[in-house]
Amino acid sequence: MKRVVSLVPSLTEAVAVSAPGLLAGVTDWCSHPADLDAVRVGGTKNPDLPAITALAPDLVIANEEENRAPDIAALRAAGLDVLVTEVRTLPQAFIELERVLRACGVGRPRWIDEAQAAWAAVEPGEVRRAVVPVWRRPWMVLGRDTFAGDLLARLGVENVYAGHPDRYPRIPLDELNAAGADLVVLPDEPYRFTADDGPEAFPGLPAALVDGRMLTWYGPSLATAPAALRAALR
């Protein structure tokens, strides 16, 4: 059996659900499944490289956005096999999920079929324009070429800043409120927006509080994400 270290929370869930027992190490942010039993090796941006090396994994799973290039390079320099994923659209997510699981020696799980069927059945309906903050102090929003933006577009939500040259631009709050949006979409990660922290900054817009895992994770949650996001956006 392979020993795997995952530095990507959503891929941790994908591996854990598909092949329990493979994961030797995971990040402090890997919260699913709830009964996950593996050594914690720091955060996605500040992993404990000596601890990972000491686990002697057969494979380390990373992502070009969530993990830092110097950390990936250091792990490779230590002789570890590091698989780096890139996920910026839903179709790309399915391709990368299958690639990760194959590298772990795992066959295609049924939840991938269920997730593809769930998204294939989505009918966008009326298009609404939205600003999608992912941080405040300073305010940052979804820009171009993001996985979350692709999911929202499939649900009929057009990201106002989808054409911005940056993927996560910093936009002053007064500009966000003057962007001509129909609503503001507030996920609970990476910044934890809540009913009391976020909507008050956009007094002229209805606010949709969404589960960040449903919007930004690529794994088993994709099977239930369309229904969960649609309910939150409603």
Side-chain angles (χ1 to χ4, degrees):
M1 179 180 292
K2 287 192 174 184
R3 290 171 58 78
V4 177
V5 169
S6 173
L7 303 180
V8 186
S10 56
L11 295 178
T12 293
E13 183 181 21
V15 174
V17 168
S18 305
L22 283 190
L23 290 167
V26 299
T27 76
D28 298 339
W29 299 104
C30 294
S31 56
H32 289 78
D35 59 353
L36 187 60
D37 182 19
V39 174
R40 299 290 170 163
V41 295
T44 56
K45 304 296 187 188
N46 58 341
D48 186 336
L49 303 182
I52 296 170
T53 303
L55 289 172
D58 300 298
L59 180 69
V60 178
I61 302 167
N63 174 264
E64 52 90 29
E65 179 177 303
E66 292 201 47
N67 308 118
R68 300 187 317 125
D71 293 327
I72 293 169
L75 291 169
R76 285 174 169 160
L80 299 181
D81 182 11
V82 184
L83 186 159
V84 181
T85 58
E86 179 184 297
V87 177
R88 300 190 182 188
T89 66
L90 181 63
Q92 193 175 24
F94 288 126
I95 291 170
E96 291 288 63
L97 282 165
E98 290 200 56
R99 184 166 75 100
V100 165
L101 294 174
R102 280 198 307 272
C104 293
V106 180
R108 179 186 172 95
R110 184 163 64 179
W111 60 259
I112 289 184
D113 295 326
E114 294 170 349
Q116 287 182 322
W119 281 99
V122 166
E123 297 179 0
E126 180 185 359
V127 174
R128 291 175 291 169
R129 287 168 51 80
V131 292
V132 191
V134 293
W135 203 259
R136 68 183 301 176
R137 304 183 196 95
W139 285 96
M140 299 175 65
V141 299
L142 291 185
R144 64 169 180 84
D145 196 22
T146 66
F147 175 71
D150 186 52
L151 294 194
L152 289 172
R154 294 168 187 274
L155 294 165
V157 177
E158 176 186 330
N159 175 15
V160 170
Y161 291 97
H164 196 282
D166 297 330
R167 296 185 66 216
Y168 299 99
R170 297 185 180 190
I171 308 291
L173 183 59
D174 58 347
E175 289 187 29
L176 295 179
N177 275 299
D182 302 313
L183 77 160
V184 56
V185 177
L186 298 169
D188 62 7
E189 63 175 75
Y191 184 91
R192 188 172 180 79
F193 288 107
T194 68
D196 300 319
D197 185 356
E200 80 290 342
F202 301 89
L205 291 177
L209 294 164
V210 303
D211 184 337
R213 177 167 163 261
M214 294 294 158
L215 183 62
T216 65
W217 286 38
Y218 31 90
S221 57
L222 283 173
T224 54
L229 291 172
R230 190 181 293 283
L233 292 168
R234 188 178 301 129

